Amino acid sequence: MYTSIIIDEKGIRYLNVFNNKVRKEIRWSNFAKREKVTYILEPPKFDVSYIRQSKSFFDQFFWPVLINNKIEVHSEMFLGKHFFAMLYANRLELIRTFLLGLAHYRPDITVNPEIFSNHYIDKESYTIDYSQRRKIGIIAGLVCVLIFTIIYFLVF
């Protein structure tokens, strides 16, 4: 299993940090336009799209890639593929780096603009607005405390 994702000028590499071997690599040149992919349902409006699966805290990203002269839709959640995936600390930075790499190496690839707003990334400067993210976290924490307090007083 790979445990690290490296995004750099080459593309996306999945690295097994235990034996330092690359498990999988997607080069920027392998990214494809959505028109080349055959979809059963209506094709997405953007080359890079995402969904938040029900009962999930994480978004799953989708984009077409050319692998062995065949177009396939790749999916990624930018999480570590190990037992402690929920503790992956730099997920937001990986998404930012992925978007920045697309803008720099593949400007022809379209990205769903909701990805920027839902991950607190400024579309012009590619900076992460940590203050906005922190506010959402504080509000969510206060709501949880309120719910637990109400449950506590209802039970006892």
Side-chain angles (χ1 to χ4, degrees):
M1 295 294 290
Y2 52 86
T3 56
S4 289
I5 298 173
I6 299 171
I7 302 174
D8 58 12
E9 67 279 350
K10 295 177 184 179
I12 303 171
R13 288 178 293 162
Y14 300 90
L15 181 70
N16 182 329
V17 295
F18 299 114
N19 61 15
N20 212 19
K21 291 185 179 180
V22 175
R23 303 287 297 159
K24 185 177 185 180
E25 183 174 16
I26 302 173
R27 296 191 170 273
W28 295 117
S29 59
N30 288 31
F31 279 68
K33 299 290 286 176
R34 66 177 167 82
E35 295 88 38
K36 296 179 182 177
V37 179
T38 305
Y39 291 93
I40 296 171
L41 301 173
E42 180 183 341
K45 296 176 183 176
F46 305 98
D47 296 320
V48 178
S49 58
Y50 81 106
I51 61 168
R52 177 164 287 164
Q53 298 176 356
S54 62
K55 299 180 184 177
S56 173
F57 294 107
F58 301 107
D59 301 327
Q60 190 164 11
F61 295 80
F62 299 94
W63 63 87
V65 292
L66 180 65
I67 298 175
N68 297 327
N69 292 328
K70 185 178 173 187
I71 301 287
E72 298 177 10
V73 176
H74 180 78
S75 116
E76 182 57 63
M77 293 175 69
F78 293 109
L79 293 173
K81 305 296 185 205
H82 52 80
F83 182 71
F84 297 106
M86 297 293 286
L87 304 175
Y88 221 55
N90 65 342
R91 180 176 184 272
L92 196 56
E93 287 79 9
L94 280 173
I95 294 170
R96 176 196 162 275
T97 306
F98 169 69
L99 295 172
L100 191 59
L102 281 175
H104 186 71
Y105 297 107
R106 291 301 304 268
D108 59 318
I109 301 291
T110 58
V111 177
N112 186 338
E114 291 179 6
I115 292 173
F116 291 95
S117 60
N118 290 345
H119 295 92
Y120 317 105
I121 299 171
D122 181 68
K123 192 173 181 174
E124 302 301 320
S125 65
Y126 290 90
T127 56
I128 301 169
D129 186 1
Y130 287 103
S131 64
Q132 183 68 19
R133 183 176 181 216
R134 201 171 300 119
K135 287 178 192 175
I136 300 295
I138 290 171
I139 291 170
L142 291 174
V143 168
C144 286
V145 168
L146 178 66
I147 290 171
F148 287 130
T149 304
I150 291 171
I151 291 172
Y152 177 78
F153 283 112
L154 288 176
V155 171
F156 297 107

